[in-house]
């Protein structure tokens, strides 16, 4: 368990420090290797919320509200409206793509 390992480390060493520059460099490297754009570590929370929500909805055993609540708890927020904040970015992108790509393609197909 990662938490237990960290707890033991702090008990032994008295503290746990992270080199911010090394952490940032590791994130940038991981993003590059996985073909993603580096947007900082908070982007990981956006990705988690969106991927987790999609996964829960695909299973179909939770309502929309139940999925929001579960993800909120997993992220340490304890408020479903915060989870919706993370999901809105994804929804805005979908709407943007639909308006700027899908609709123009439909118009071109109808005209041709």
């Amino acid at each position: 368990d990662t938490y237990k390992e960290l707890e033991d480390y702090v008990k032994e060493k008295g503290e746990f420090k992270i080199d911010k520059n090394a952490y940032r460099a590791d994130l940038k490297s991981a993003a590059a290797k996985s073909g993603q754009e580096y947007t900082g570590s908070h982007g990981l929370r956006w990705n988690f919320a969106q991927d987790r929500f999609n996964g829960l909805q695909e299973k179909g055993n939770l309502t929309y509200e139940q999925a929001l609540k579960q993800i909120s708890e997993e992220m340490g927020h304890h408020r479903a409206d915060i989870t919706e904040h993370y999901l809105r970015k994804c929804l805005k992108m979908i709407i943007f793509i639909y308006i700027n790509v899908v609709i123009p393609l439909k118009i071109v197909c109808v005209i041709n």
Side-chain angles (χ1 to χ4, degrees):
D1 179 44
T2 304
Y3 181 80
K4 177 73 172 124
E5 289 179 28
L6 183 57
E7 184 179 45
D8 291 344
Y9 182 90
V10 171
K11 283 180 183 176
E12 181 183 325
K13 306 286 185 181
E15 64 183 353
F16 178 74
K17 290 185 178 183
I18 295 176
D19 180 338
K20 292 178 189 176
N21 292 328
Y23 175 71
R24 188 177 303 111
D26 288 344
L27 285 177
K28 285 181 179 181
S29 174
K33 287 178 183 176
S34 63
Q36 298 180 48
E37 179 183 352
Y38 171 74
T39 58
S41 62
H42 203 72
L44 298 173
R45 294 181 67 80
W46 289 91
N47 291 344
F48 171 80
Q50 293 166 7
D51 289 346
R52 184 74 170 123
F53 183 81
N54 290 336
L56 290 173
Q57 290 296 286
E58 286 173 8
K59 287 183 181 178
N61 57 344
L62 296 178
T63 66
Y64 177 83
E65 290 78 17
Q66 289 170 330
L68 288 179
K69 180 70 174 153
Q70 179 171 329
I71 297 164
S72 177
E73 295 291 328
E74 291 172 357
M75 295 178 73
H77 290 138
H78 313 291
R79 288 180 34 212
D81 63 313
I82 299 297
T83 304
E84 280 191 307
H85 172 71
Y86 284 92
L87 299 177
R88 272 189 219 115
K89 181 179 179 185
C90 183
L91 180 59
K92 285 179 182 177
M93 183 175 291
I94 291 168
I95 292 169
F96 175 83
I97 291 169
Y98 184 79
I99 290 171
N100 293 289
V101 177
V102 176
I103 292 175
L105 284 176
K106 287 182 180 179
I107 292 170
V108 169
C109 291
V110 171
I111 293 173
N112 290 336

